[in-house]
Amino acid sequence: MTGSFEVNLLVVVPGILGLLWSVKEWISVANVKIDGHPDILANQDSKAKTAAADIVSEMIKISTTIQEGAMSFLMAEYTYMAVYIVLFSIFLVFFTGVPTTIAFVVGSITSILCGWIGMKIAVFTNVRTTHQCWKNLSAGFDVAIQGGCVMGLSLVSLGLLALFALIEIFKAYFDFSSSQVMYEAIAGYGLGGSSIALFGRVGGGIYTKAADVGADLSGKNDYGLEEDDYRNPACIADNVGDNVGDIAGMGADLFGSFAESTCAALVLVAASPDLKDSWAGQMYPMLISSAGIVVGLVTLLTQGIFYKVKDMPDVEKALKGILVISTVLMTPVVIFLSHWCLPEVFSMGPGYEHVKWWYCAVSIMLGLWSGLIIGYVTEYYTSHSYTPVREIAETQKQSAATGIIYGLALGYLSCIVPVICLGVTILVAHTLCGMFGVALGALGMLGTMTMGLTIDAYGPIS
């Protein structure tokens, strides 16, 4: 174990690095010129000289419309969120006190800010991804990943720094009877993040599906327009909805999970008689997330070496490769952090008086690798490259009813492995460390959240 200054540096510096890298990648995306690649396309396409300018103009027009729609939706949604934050804060002041209310407001605002940043970079990047794919697939993939990592790195970095700042402010300006009471008040940070996730994920998801169905029913059936025809108003709304639900909503959802898991682990650490007086022990849950930022940066620097994108099949391999690299790199980091921050043996309360440091490392790694397995299983059941989706397509030849029934059955089947992974993680982690182990298992699943968000954001962007 070590002093508080070194621990603080290990929490703060990765967060700052993550934000700086996000700014750097945003600038890289902004430097992509939407000019139609005249020198390149003129040699490949005889119509390029006359058609490229018109196509570029249309691309900019459509992307601007999507950007305006996305920002309009966010402003409307955030207006309702602001009213909710004010009203619920009044409720919290009377029933929990001022510190918890402050933590709730900070968590809510941080979640909103992360969603807004994600939305801005997504609608800013998608047209540039399209433009670079006009040149070649590799260039388009690189731009999409750059835009996605802005979302992933900025969300985790902002969440981590805001929570750390909250802890320092509470220590300096509030007089708590114990560190456990302070962290219980800070748990309002997770409540704020989860509250915003309700609006972002559910509201954005409903908007997306309504727009998608509207494109099918109104555009295709009434007017004979294709679902992806930009003249179909629901098509624009559907593209807006993809960003609203899968960027802002998904970001708020994962931010809520990150904040809740971290706050839960902090409260449990403060309740431990052997860890509550150790600053390295108290910051152990946050150091896991800060290490995840560094691992994410290393992954971004190395993924191009192991997974080169030249053809369409390479895209799927590269996206999975990002998750694999980050998980593999995170494993030894978790072991080192556990040994460095925790005593050889410590107590986590009645029934868990002899918890060893490596018990915590095992709990985190179970969550870490379970997350990877769940990702692979989900991809297997939802990708057109594998049997399940192809079988559903085959059943549609008979009737829509058989397709629905078979799809529902496969949906149930796809849950088996994830449930087993979650069950094993919870059982083993709780056996080793009690509820602290369960919280660490959750943090392990979120340990590669920077790259998970990058991959998630890649979808709507591309």
Side-chain angles (χ1 to χ4, degrees), residues 95-323:
F95 288 93
T96 63
V98 173
T100 304
T101 306
I102 292 174
F104 167 76
V105 173
V106 172
S108 300
I109 293 174
T110 306
S111 181
I112 288 173
L113 179 60
C114 291
W116 183 84
I117 291 173
M119 179 70 85
K120 289 290 287 187
I121 188 61
V123 296
F124 185 73
T125 307
N126 54 21
V127 65
R128 287 163 174 78
T129 300
T130 303
H131 180 266
Q132 292 303 92
C133 285
W134 206 359
K135 177 182 177 183
N136 59 62
L137 183 62
S138 178
F141 176 82
D142 291 340
V143 172
I145 288 295
Q146 287 175 329
C149 78
V150 172
M151 171 73 173
L153 291 171
S154 61
L155 185 144
V156 179
S157 298
L158 283 173
L160 186 72
L161 293 175
L163 181 56
F164 182 76
L166 202 60
I167 293 171
E168 291 297 320
I169 291 170
F170 276 25
K171 284 171 57 182
Y173 296 101
F174 290 93
D175 185 20
F176 294 99
S177 58
S178 67
S179 59
Q180 184 178 357
V181 175
M182 181 187 75
Y183 287 119
E184 286 174 353
I186 287 174
Y189 183 79
L191 177 63
S194 297
S195 298
I196 299 306
L198 289 174
F199 288 90
R201 195 56 155 167
V202 178
I206 292 173
Y207 176 90
T208 303
K209 293 308 173 188
D212 200 2
V213 172
D216 283 331
L217 295 180
S218 179
K220 290 173 71 174
N221 296 339
D222 293 344
Y223 297 101
L225 295 173
E226 289 297 324
E227 183 180 356
D228 294 327
D229 191 325
Y230 72 91
R231 294 172 298 173
N232 183 349
C235 172
I236 301 298
D238 189 20
N239 279 275
V240 170
D242 286 340
N243 290 285
V244 167
D246 296 337
I247 295 291
M250 175 265 300
D253 194 5
L254 287 177
F255 175 85
S257 299
F258 158 77
E260 287 173 334
S261 300
T262 307
C263 289
L266 289 171
V267 171
L268 292 168
V269 164
S272 167
D274 296 329
L275 296 181
K276 65 180 181 180
D277 296 324
S278 165
W279 186 241
Q282 288 186 39
M283 290 292 101
Y284 175 59
M286 295 186 65
L287 285 169
I288 296 168
S289 298
S290 66
I293 296 173
V294 177
V295 167
L297 292 174
V298 175
T299 302
L300 290 171
L301 292 171
T302 57
Q303 65 89 19
I305 299 173
F306 297 103
Y307 298 94
K308 298 185 182 298
V309 176
K310 295 180 180 179
D311 301 311
M312 282 301 296
D314 297 334
V315 173
E316 193 172 304
K317 294 176 184 177
L319 292 175
K320 288 190 290 187
I322 289 173
L323 204 56

Side-chain angles (χ1 to χ4, degrees), residues 405-416:
I405 294 170
Y406 195 80
L408 187 62
L410 279 176
Y412 291 143
L413 184 64
S414 70
C415 296
I416 294 176

Side-chain angles (χ1 to χ4, degrees), residues 22 24-25 59 78 81 89 127 140 161 188 260 330 424 435:
S22 298
K24 175 247 182 194
E25 296 291 34
M59 287 170 59
Y78 287 169
M81 289 181 185
S89 295
V127 65
L161 293 175
E260 287 173 334
M330 191 69 184
V424 169
M435 290 306 297

Side-chain angles (χ1 to χ4, degrees), residues 46-54:
S46 59
K47 298 181 180 179
K49 293 181 179 180
T50 57
D54 295 335

